[in-house]
Amino acid sequence: MESIYRIYDNKIGISFKWKNVKTNLTQIIFRDTGFHLTTKEIELFLDKLSEAKTQKTCENCEMSGGCRSLLLQTPSDKVSMAVSSLELAEIEDLLRGTLFQIQMDNYLKNICKN
């Protein structure tokens, strides 16, 4: 863990940047899947997540939110994931927390330059 700069983490995953790699990509890992995303792609992912939240789950579902019946599109047109409503909430928190921290870090860097 010494070679990464942790941006945000929660129960489902972590976001970070490699310390010794010059890139504008953020690594986001959840549920055994890793994404290398720009800030714009994280924003797009959040838009896709909002669309997934409008999907209906099974009526009278006995799994109370644990059923992976929602289809989450990713920033890649070729990749989508089946997730539960509980996972969707955790993924949203991970993406929003990551985006907030990136924006806060950028804001503070700009203020410190002046």
Side-chain angles (χ1 to χ4, degrees):
M1 293 297 241
E2 293 176 11
S3 60
I4 66 168
Y5 165 68
R6 185 188 60 79
I7 298 170
Y8 190 80
D9 66 89
N10 66 7
K11 290 187 278 185
I12 201 166
I14 185 170
S15 61
F16 63 90
K17 290 189 178 192
W18 294 101
K19 286 183 179 177
N20 297 326
V21 177
K22 296 286 184 195
T23 181
N24 65 339
L25 299 177
T26 299
Q27 177 118 19
I28 299 176
I29 299 175
F30 60 88
R31 236 185 72 200
D32 301 328
T33 305
F35 295 91
H36 297 266
L37 303 173
T38 64
T39 302
K40 292 290 181 196
E41 289 171 323
I42 295 170
E43 292 170 351
L44 177 61
F45 208 167
L46 280 166
D47 290 342
K48 304 270 186 195
L49 193 136
S50 293
E51 292 171 15
K53 287 168 69 175
T54 65
Q55 296 174 28
K56 302 284 187 226
T57 56
C58 305
E59 288 186 37
N60 303 321
C61 185
E62 296 175 8
M63 297 186 73
S64 40
C67 177
R68 290 186 176 156
S69 61
L70 301 174
L71 188 63
L72 174 61
Q73 293 297 127
T74 68
S76 171
D77 292 337
K78 297 180 180 183
V79 179
S80 57
M81 305 174 75
V83 297
S84 70
S85 58
L86 298 173
E87 289 172 322
L88 199 62
E90 287 293 325
I91 294 167
E92 180 177 25
D93 175 70
L94 181 63
L95 294 174
R96 287 194 188 285
T98 300
L99 188 59
F100 174 82
Q101 193 62 51
I102 289 170
Q103 291 170 338
M104 181 63 74
D105 289 349
N106 289 339
Y107 177 75
L108 292 174
K109 283 179 192 173
N110 287 333
I111 284 181
C112 291
K113 284 182 184 178
N114 295 329

